Amino acid sequence: MTDTSGLPFASFLRTRRAEIDRALDAFLPPVSGRLAGVHDAMRYSLFAGGKRFRPILALAAAESAAPGDPAALDLALPSACAIEMIHTYSLVHDDLPAMDDDTMRRGKPTLHVVCGEGLAILAGDGLLAEAFVLLAREPDCEGRPERAARKLAVIRRIADAAGAAGMVGGQAIDLQAAGRGCDAEGLDAEGLRDMHARKTGALIRAAAASGAIMAGAAPARLEAIDGYAAALGLAFQIVDDILDVEGTDAALGKTAGKDAASAKPTYPALFGLDASKRLARDAAGDAHAALAGAGLERTRLADIITWVLSRTS
Ligand code: GRG
């Protein structure tokens, strides 16, 4: 992978996105034969144009955990891509009529609009399962017990983050809070924070931790990167809630204003826009502090905090 150390942040992002897209293309099954329909549907959503925030974060964590080690990025690339597949599956399912019922995502019609709900459900399932196929397969750990132990730790973190204690659980709390679950209830500030920590934060944390673990981070450094990612994930979700109020369909690539229309629990709904912006800045400050505590304040991880706060899509 490219040495991006001298590049401005925008070029760093462009370079990493291109590398991640190439790797995803190689890791996914080709579109051919009897399975062409489902494989094509998986690729449609995966290559619809996401920011690649989570895999970029994973690779930056690997670089920061093992500066100057050229192997770190290659070791972290498969789990970074697996996390993007899981994230894309969650978007496909989140857009279904039974969930958020959205018709636009990543600037294109949602998958169920293009190919029907049945195939969209299957393509999401396919992306989730394919992510774990990739994690099991890459990087090759034959005869390398230390690398195998790192990979096992990463698989555990990613599975926890994607499962009922993480993203799926957060989505269930969200459904209930919007009055659509079997046990509807409103959320207070702590409930909102907990829901976001599971729904969005858990996979972001797993992304950063996976990169650091595959790069062989020492325990104290891994803990600092995990603390940074927890605060970064909160900032990311608060900004997401704010963008739903202030953003446009064109910039977001999805329908703006859906949270309020569906009476979703969000930071602007609970605190108002000004306080939400302050809370996002506070969370960013916590992320910077976690990096500074481990001497990582001059790494790409710090630039990523600025990216998260200033993003418009
Ligand atoms: C199991 C049926 C079933 C559904 C699961 C798990 C789940 C549905 C949904 C998870 C909730 C979810 C979609 C969380 C992500 C929230 C979020 C901030 C998405 C946007 O992420 P970006 O901005 O998007 O990184 P891009 O498109 O840039 O990758």
Side-chain angles (χ1 to χ4, degrees), residues 132-145:
F132 285 95
V133 171
L134 171 59
L135 285 165
R137 198 180 64 211
E138 304 274 350
D140 182 18
C141 295
E142 191 67 42
R144 296 171 182 268

Side-chain angles (χ1 to χ4, degrees), residues 3-293:
D3 174 7
T4 57
S5 47
L7 294 182
F9 189 65
S11 315
F12 157 78
L13 283 183
R14 248 196 323 276
T15 305
R16 287 288 176 258
R17 268 186 200 129
E19 289 169 338
I20 289 160
D21 283 356
R22 269 198 303 277
L24 284 168
D25 185 36
F27 287 142
L28 266 192
V31 179
S32 65
R34 285 212 172 88
L35 300 178
V38 70
H39 288 160
D40 196 30
M42 289 158 68
R43 285 172 175 269
Y44 173 86
S45 290
L46 195 59
F47 294 108
K51 289 183 290 298
R52 308 302 191 216
F53 166 66
R54 293 154 191 80
I56 288 170
L57 174 65
L59 295 174
E63 272 187 303
S64 307
D69 176 1
L73 284 169
D74 292 330
L75 288 175
L77 185 62
S79 46
C81 289
I83 286 170
E84 184 66 17
M85 291 180 195
I86 294 170
H87 166 60
T88 304
Y89 125 77
S90 83
L91 300 181
V92 171
H93 281 194
D94 192 47
D95 290 334
L96 288 167
M99 298 273 172
D100 266 10
D101 192 9
D102 220 323
T103 55
M104 201 166 74
R105 171 73 71 178
R106 292 178 162 173
K108 295 174 90 174
T110 45
L111 188 56
H112 67 273
V113 167
V114 175
C115 66
E117 285 178 47
L119 198 54
I121 292 170
L122 293 173
D125 292 341
L127 284 166
L128 176 61
E130 209 56 46
F132 285 95
V133 171
L134 171 59
L135 285 165
R137 198 180 64 211
E138 304 274 350
D140 182 18
C141 295
E142 191 67 42
R144 296 171 182 268
E146 207 253 341
R147 185 187 286 185
R150 287 183 199 175
K151 197 167 85 165
L152 196 56
V154 164
I155 292 173
R156 173 78 197 266
R157 283 203 189 223
I158 294 175
D160 277 344
M167 188 171 70
V168 165
Q171 179 78 350
I173 295 171
D174 197 359
L175 275 181
Q176 281 171 232
R180 295 173 57 205
C182 37
D183 184 20
E185 56 181 56
L187 287 182
D188 59 9
E190 176 43 37
L192 184 65
R193 194 184 168 97
D194 178 65
M195 177 188 81
H196 282 330
R198 295 176 196 279
K199 193 175 93 160
T200 316
L203 203 60
I204 290 173
R205 267 175 89 174
S210 70
I213 291 170
M214 289 314 296
R221 186 160 281 194
L222 173 60
E223 200 179 317
I225 289 175
D226 186 49
Y228 150 86
L232 183 76
L234 179 60
F236 186 94
Q237 183 59 55
I238 299 174
V239 170
D240 209 71
D241 286 356
I242 294 169
L243 286 175
D244 188 73
V245 178
E246 294 191 328
T248 61
D249 292 11
L252 295 176
K254 62 178 182 177
T255 317
K258 282 231 48 188
D259 291 344
S262 342
K264 288 261 214 166
T266 65
Y267 273 83
L270 197 60
F271 296 99
L273 272 173
D274 287 345
S276 299
K277 286 176 188 175
R278 202 175 54 245
L279 288 166
R281 283 196 300 273
D282 289 350
D286 291 344
H288 277 296
L291 291 182

